[in-house]
Amino acid sequence: MLLLALDTATPAVTVALHDGDKVIAESRQVDARRHGELLLPAVDRVLGEAGRKLDAVTDIVVGVGPGPYTGLRVGIVTAATFGAALGVPVRGLCSLDGLAYAAGQAGLEGEFVVATDARRKEVYWARYADARTRVTEPSVDRPGDLTEKLAGLTVVGAGAVLYADSFTDVRADMPEHQSAGALASLAAERLRTGGEFLPDQPLYLRRPDAQVPANYKVVTPK
């Protein structure tokens, strides 16, 4: 197995290679405005670091969000293109699951919440029984609306740090942004155990920021 993992659902543009036993190369750059510019060079860099060629990849996993529209589609379209060109399966994973798994690798145990920055003064979030087990569907809400609902729970991720006053126990020492290495490790584990994956379709959870104005007038020649 040579699994290529990538994720652009958060400000992190992150890519990793996993050989079925361990992560053998990883790249991560945090820049919310340059997903399209940074992703392909990151793939080349990771392949070069591992001494592998793209045609050696047997599986592709991509974080499908939730995340902002523009950044998220960069990763998903790239993964789909690689999959079609190589003739290999493309499997989706919830990006929040990757962050939860990374928190588990960093030593977090028990029940907790992952929250990422959704912009518009909102967070994408989900609740976990442990680092491998999500118990709620991904959602998007204002942090203040979650204060009572998540009272007493540990919260990790960039959304938790950004809106720390809205949560009881923010673990700023835990990963804030996605790690393709953690996503790849989670995917490899699920492949070994027959775990489930998502379609390689984006979890937007809301409409894109850019929309046609409601009072837009179509002008046609007479």
Side-chain angles (χ1 to χ4, degrees):
M1 174 194 294
L2 185 63
L3 190 153
L4 173 66
L6 52 94
D7 194 300
T8 57
T10 73
V13 178
T14 179
V15 179
L17 281 174
H18 197 288
D19 66 3
D21 294 318
K22 63 184 181 303
V23 175
I24 58 175
E26 182 175 7
S27 171
R28 186 173 68 169
Q29 296 167 276
V30 179
D31 191 329
R33 298 182 180 275
R34 300 174 63 210
H35 292 89
E37 180 180 345
L38 296 174
L39 182 57
L40 290 179
V43 173
D44 287 340
R45 186 164 53 252
V46 165
L47 288 168
E49 181 181 331
R52 305 295 181 92
K53 299 293 186 182
L54 184 60
D55 60 9
V57 169
T58 61
D59 298 87
I60 296 173
V61 61
V62 60
V64 297
Y69 180 82
T70 302
L72 181 56
R73 67 180 178 174
V74 169
I76 293 176
V77 169
T78 300
T81 301
F82 282 154
L86 298 171
V88 301
V90 180
R91 299 177 171 89
L93 281 176
C94 174
S95 297
L96 299 177
D97 291 358
L99 273 165
Y101 193 85
Q105 290 181 315
L108 188 61
E109 298 179 349
E111 189 173 4
F112 63 93
V113 173
V114 173
T116 61
D117 182 16
R119 304 176 186 172
R120 302 186 193 176
K121 298 182 179 179
E122 294 178 328
V123 294
Y124 297 118
W125 68 279
R127 187 168 175 170
Y128 292 80
D130 54 52
R132 293 175 174 81
T133 310
R134 177 161 45 84
V135 294
T136 66
E137 292 299 314
S139 300
V140 57
D141 288 288
R142 290 186 176 275
D145 295 338
L146 299 173
T147 301
E148 184 175 346
K149 179 184 292 188
L150 304 181
L153 290 173
T154 297
V155 189
V156 304
V161 174
L162 184 60
Y163 301 105
D165 291 345
S166 297
F167 304 111
T168 305
D169 178 21
V170 172
R171 288 288 301 272
D173 59 318
M174 290 288 127
E176 289 187 32
H177 300 296
Q178 183 64 285
S179 158
L183 198 72
S185 297
L186 175 59
E189 185 175 296
R190 290 190 180 182
L191 285 170
R192 287 194 300 269
T193 61
E196 295 184 353
F197 291 88
L198 298 172
D200 57 339
Q201 299 297 319
L203 294 174
Y204 290 132
L205 299 191
R206 67 184 184 201
R207 300 176 67 183
D209 291 330
Q211 299 179 30
V212 176
N215 296 321
Y216 180 78
K217 293 182 180 179
V218 177
V219 179
T220 57
K222 295 181 179 179

